[in-house]
Amino acid sequence: MTFLVRRLLLAIPVILLVTIMVFSLMHMLPGDPATVILGQEATPEAVAALREELGLNRPILVQYFDWLGGVLQGDLGRSLVDRTPVAELIMQRFPATIELTIGTFIVAILIAVPAGIISATRPGKWVDYTSTMFALGGMSIPHFWLGMMFIVFFSVKLGWLPASGYVPLSQDPVANLAAMIMPMVATGLRESAVLMRMLRSSLLEVMHADYIRTAYSKGLKEWTVIMRHALKNALVPVVTTSGLIVAGLLSGLVITESIFSIPGFGRLIVESIFSRDFVTVQGAILVSALLVVAVNLFVDILYTIIDPRIKAGKGAE
């Protein structure tokens, strides 16, 4: 419990720093933010009205604490485009991104874990070389190109899957899976390559440890040694990489969402940037940053479950 409380307390100054940085974004823009938002052809009256609406005439510290007070109550402001609450816009876009992130990560794990284990237990064999080539290919091929190839083959040539679009899971699970499987696989293949390489390296290091040789000397079967002794101790760096991947996916799926026309969180940020809706951009970036903090906090907690020595401050040796 002490470890968890310490981590939560450490997250507070990080979150405060994030709010300061996100709030400063609008005020770091060159020139008058209201003029930047409305454009150079805006009338002085319109600029003055927007400045009053955004509270730009007040001292900067007052503006920050007013904005922070609203954030703490779930109020991220209103979109400058259609006056919709930013929190509502984000909640509308999040289900698609969350589903795409979870699906992508599941695809990556399903490929990376067996491939990493087989490759690490057969170093120098053909299966190891095949897995390494797959990993290098997966990391080298851009996922947007892979996504387009999937569309050409599975949608245009075979007609098996829809080329684009999104159907909510609650509305039609079958249509939802048909629309999401290609973006999940296209993105998951690249992430699986990264995870597979990390798991292989970590397992190779663990497999040379004394306790692994002791386990073999007791007559335990290879699969038992790997699953009971080696894999758990090799997971710490893999969990770290997984946390970074999930955090990146939650806010960085804009290319995948654009290719497959998925109305997700990443597209919301890009659309808001193009429409100069900086209030929405500000809110979306804050939520994205808070998600990264939350994922890292979850990863820290997961460390203590995998290796209790980390909880005691000794670290994995």
Side-chain angles (χ1 to χ4, degrees):
M1 181 60 73
T2 303
F3 175 84
L4 178 59
V5 172
R6 189 166 63 245
R7 288 303 188 198
L8 287 172
L9 291 176
L10 286 173
I12 293 175
V14 174
I15 293 173
L16 280 176
L17 182 62
V18 166
T19 62
I20 293 172
M21 293 179 65
V22 171
F23 177 79
S24 301
L25 284 177
M26 180 176 289
H27 297 273
M28 289 172 63
L29 293 172
D32 186 349
T35 304
V36 173
I37 293 170
L38 294 176
Q40 294 296 330
E41 297 180 356
T43 63
E45 292 77 13
V47 172
L50 184 57
R51 286 186 61 82
E52 181 65 25
E53 178 187 344
L54 297 177
L56 297 175
N57 296 323
R58 291 174 293 173
I60 187 74
L61 280 178
V62 174
Q63 294 179 45
Y64 169 71
F65 284 110
D66 283 350
W67 176 74
L68 185 61
V71 169
L72 292 175
Q73 299 176 47
D75 181 11
L76 299 175
R78 288 182 175 272
S79 167
L80 297 176
V81 175
D82 56 8
R83 311 304 301 162
T84 304
V86 173
E88 185 178 325
L89 284 175
I90 293 173
M91 291 304 295
Q92 289 173 355
R93 299 297 190 98
F94 247 131
T97 297
I98 292 290
E99 183 183 351
L100 184 55
T101 298
I102 293 174
T104 298
F105 188 66
I106 290 174
V107 169
I109 289 293
L110 289 177
I111 297 173
V113 172
I117 292 175
I118 294 172
S119 181
T121 52
R122 301 290 185 274
K125 306 295 184 182
W126 67 268
V127 68
D128 183 29
Y129 291 129
T130 303
S131 300
T132 301
M133 288 176 60
F134 164 78
L136 290 175
M139 289 187 285
S140 304
I141 299 174
H143 65 275
F144 64 84
W145 181 85
L146 200 58
M148 290 189 290
M149 293 301 101
F150 280 179
I151 291 175
V152 170
F153 187 73
F154 292 106
S155 299
V156 178
K157 296 286 185 184
L158 301 178
W160 289 354
L161 298 168
S164 61
Y166 174 74
V167 180
L169 182 64
S170 58
Q171 183 177 326
D172 189 340
V174 176
N176 172 271
L177 180 61
M180 297 294 277
I181 190 167
M182 281 200 298
M184 287 175 179
V185 174
T187 314
L189 282 175
R190 176 181 172 81
E191 307 302 346
S192 71
V194 177
L195 282 178
M196 194 278 281
R197 292 289 295 170
M198 180 60 67
L199 180 59
R200 178 186 181 277
S201 301
S202 184
L203 264 179
L204 280 175
E205 185 178 342
V206 170
M207 293 296 285
H208 290 89
D210 291 338
Y211 67 91
I212 296 296
R213 283 193 287 270
T214 303
Y216 276 118
S217 68
K218 291 179 179 178
L220 295 178
K221 294 182 179 179
E222 182 183 38
W223 185 250
T224 303
V225 173
I226 293 170
M227 299 306 294
R228 186 180 298 174
H229 300 285
L231 186 58
K232 183 178 180 180
N233 291 309
L235 280 181
V236 171
V238 178
V239 168
T240 303
T241 306
S242 298
L244 295 174
I245 287 175
V246 171
L249 289 174
L250 284 171
S251 57
L253 284 169
V254 58
I255 296 177
T256 303
E257 291 174 354
S258 298
I259 291 174
F260 292 96
S261 299
I262 299 172
F265 184 62
R267 284 188 67 191
L268 173 65
I269 295 176
V270 173
E271 290 167 2
S272 301
I273 291 173
F274 282 124
S275 61
R276 297 186 176 185
D277 188 354
F278 288 94
V279 176
T280 301
V281 173
Q282 185 175 257
I285 291 177
L286 175 64
V287 171
S288 175
L290 293 178
L291 283 172
V292 172
V293 173
V295 169
N296 280 296
L297 182 61
F298 177 74
V299 168
D300 285 344
I301 295 171
L302 203 55
Y303 285 158
T304 65
I305 298 173
I306 296 172
D307 189 349
R309 292 173 299 176
I310 295 176
K311 184 177 181 180
K314 296 178 181 177
E317 296 177 357

